[in-house]
């Protein structure tokens, strides 16, 4: 007779009430956000508002993030030491979120834990806002963002 605390081979793992799980967001949402971002980045670079190396940075960090998510999923399956969520989120924050988004869908990893998903999407928003500020600064110079206005000090 199988133990109630141990999952049967091939069967689902027993429910853990301490887990913060929810239904994954629709995959179409992730793919749509990714396509819109890549398109907007390509347009911004083509319009010469952004240096070419910015796209290279996003691509390079995305490849690293994809690989790290894949390694973490493999470690999770083997019950081996895992990559910290803080590391995964930091990779997304510095520009690897497109690769992390693809990895989440390909590996079906980190798509159900509610607290991680919220933190992940917060890093995406922070990164995109920072990129938007960079684009605005490059397009209009520091004065566009108020850095050149000293009238408030007089």
């Amino acid at each position: 007779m199988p133990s109630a605390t141990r999952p049967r081979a091939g069967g689902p793992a027993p429910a853990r009430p301490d887990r913060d799980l929810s239904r994954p967001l629709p995959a179409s949402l992730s793919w749509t956000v990714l396509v819109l971002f890549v398109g907007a980045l390509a347009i911004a670079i083509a319009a010469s508002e952004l240096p070419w190396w910015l796209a290279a940075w996003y691509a390079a960090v995305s490849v690293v993030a994809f690989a790290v998510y894949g390694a973490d999923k493999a470690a999770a399956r083997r019950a081996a030491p895992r990559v910290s969520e803080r590391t995964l989120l930091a990779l997304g924050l510095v520009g690897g979120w497109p690769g992390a988004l693809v990895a989440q869908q390909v590996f079906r990893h980190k798509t159900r834990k509610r607290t991680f998903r919220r933190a992940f999407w917060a890093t995406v928003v922070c990164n995109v806002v920072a990129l938007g500020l960079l684009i605005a600064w490059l397009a209009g110079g520091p004065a566009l963002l108020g850095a050149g206005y000293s009238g408030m000090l007089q």
Side-chain angles (χ1 to χ4, degrees), residues 17-138:
D18 62 328
R19 302 251 346 235
D20 177 32
L21 301 180
S22 64
R23 292 193 101 181
L25 295 173
S28 60
L29 174 66
S30 295
W31 295 116
T32 301
V33 168
L34 184 62
V35 167
L36 290 173
F37 175 76
V38 170
L41 186 62
I43 290 169
I45 289 173
S48 299
E49 293 175 3
L50 288 179
W52 66 269
W53 57 262
L54 195 58
W57 172 260
Y58 272 99
V61 181
S62 288
V63 167
V64 171
F66 184 88
V68 171
Y69 270 74
D72 188 47
K73 179 64 174 192
R77 287 183 175 155
R78 293 188 321 266
R82 304 281 302 278
V83 176
S84 75
E85 288 186 352
R86 187 173 283 181
T87 299
L88 297 174
L89 293 170
L91 281 169
L93 187 62
V94 298
W97 68 265
L101 206 55
V102 172
Q104 287 175 6
Q105 297 307 312
V106 169
F107 302 125
R108 301 304 303 159
H109 188 51
K110 297 293 187 186
T111 59
R112 294 189 59 208
K113 188 173 180 187
R114 185 178 301 123
T115 53
F116 181 83
R117 262 197 349 235
R118 286 179 180 159
F120 173 77
W121 284 105
T123 64
V124 171
V125 168
C126 288
N127 181 270
V128 171
V129 166
L131 179 61
L133 291 172
L134 175 64
I135 291 170
W137 185 77
L138 291 173

